[in-house]
Amino acid sequence: MNEAFESLLAELEQFGAANDGSISDRPRRMLNITHATGEFLAVLVRATAARRVLEIGTSNGYSTLWLAGAARSVGGTVTTVELSGFKAGLAAKNFARSGLAAQIVQLQEDAGRVLTRQGTAAFDLIFLDSERPEYPGWWPDIRRVLRPGGLLVVDNATSHPQEMAPFVALVKADTGFATSLVPVGNGEFLAVRAGPA
């Protein structure tokens, strides 16, 4: 990680904290992952050599940059989905500054529609950090688009356990997945799909 990239990440961390500390309107809050979660995601991408990464919930692009930096190291790309035009606009500027724009496919669209049109086994790793009540409805498509051996990572597993409970129960009930709760940042729920890599 070069100095300019580290500096951009630090700037976005400070912006997110200051913004969210002064704004109560959820659509205008960044709700970024923690620094520790960013490091964790980067390690997961490298460890699994995930070349096709899907992120649902771009916000201002902070988490995307962690994923994209790691994806570049393994020759991969990140497709990131955000419905909010305000947040997508912030993210696009941050991607341009990062030097990672070539590794990022940015979609401003409803995540459910995006998932529906993706091919079977299209992604190696999926990171969910979006509207938690929507996750159970997305599950059939998430399951379909994650390749055998692929990894699902879901943020806010310990910070919002009640909201996450219906989705966690669905995934845990699926015998095709092995799961784990990792107490990093706001809690990461991991599920790996059975099958060859």
Side-chain angles (χ1 to χ4, degrees):
M1 194 183 299
N2 64 45
E3 192 174 324
F5 186 60
E6 286 185 4
S7 177
L8 176 58
L9 288 175
E11 178 189 321
L12 295 183
E13 287 169 21
Q14 291 166 5
F15 167 74
N19 180 82
D20 292 5
S22 63
I23 292 175
S24 59
D25 184 29
R26 192 172 190 274
R28 293 277 167 166
R29 299 182 80 206
M30 298 300 106
L31 303 169
N32 291 145
I33 60 170
T34 68
H35 184 92
T37 302
E39 291 179 329
F40 183 60
L41 289 174
V43 166
L44 290 176
V45 169
R46 288 178 170 89
T48 60
R51 300 186 66 217
R52 302 168 302 163
V53 177
L54 174 65
E55 174 185 50
I56 297 179
T58 312
S59 187
N60 63 338
Y62 176 72
S63 53
T64 320
L65 293 178
W66 280 105
L67 292 165
R72 178 169 63 181
S73 74
V74 297
T77 59
V78 178
T79 299
T80 186
V81 184
E82 174 62 57
L83 185 59
S84 164
F86 167 66
K87 291 181 179 179
L90 291 176
K93 291 175 184 173
N94 292 328
F95 297 159
R97 293 175 59 199
S98 72
L100 290 170
Q103 272 70 48
I104 300 167
V105 177
Q106 186 179 9
L107 303 175
Q108 185 194 333
E109 199 172 339
D110 175 78
R113 284 199 286 272
V114 171
L115 283 165
T116 298
R117 68 168 187 262
Q118 300 305 311
T120 298
F123 296 100
D124 304 311
L125 185 147
I126 298 174
F127 178 55
L128 273 185
D129 187 17
S130 184
E131 300 299 322
R132 290 175 288 276
E134 300 291 334
Y135 296 174
W138 294 344
W139 173 237
D141 280 318
I142 290 170
R143 189 187 195 288
R144 180 182 57 79
V145 304
L146 186 65
R147 69 159 171 83
L151 179 63
L152 171 67
V153 185
V154 192
D155 196 38
N156 301 116
T158 55
S159 63
H160 294 76
Q162 295 302 108
E163 288 184 18
M164 284 282 291
F167 182 68
V168 168
L170 262 180
V171 181
K172 282 188 168 185
D174 191 319
T175 57
F177 284 80
T179 65
S180 178
L181 177 61
V182 182
V184 172
N186 293 315
E188 304 307 306
F189 176 65
L190 273 59
V192 62
R193 185 170 185 182

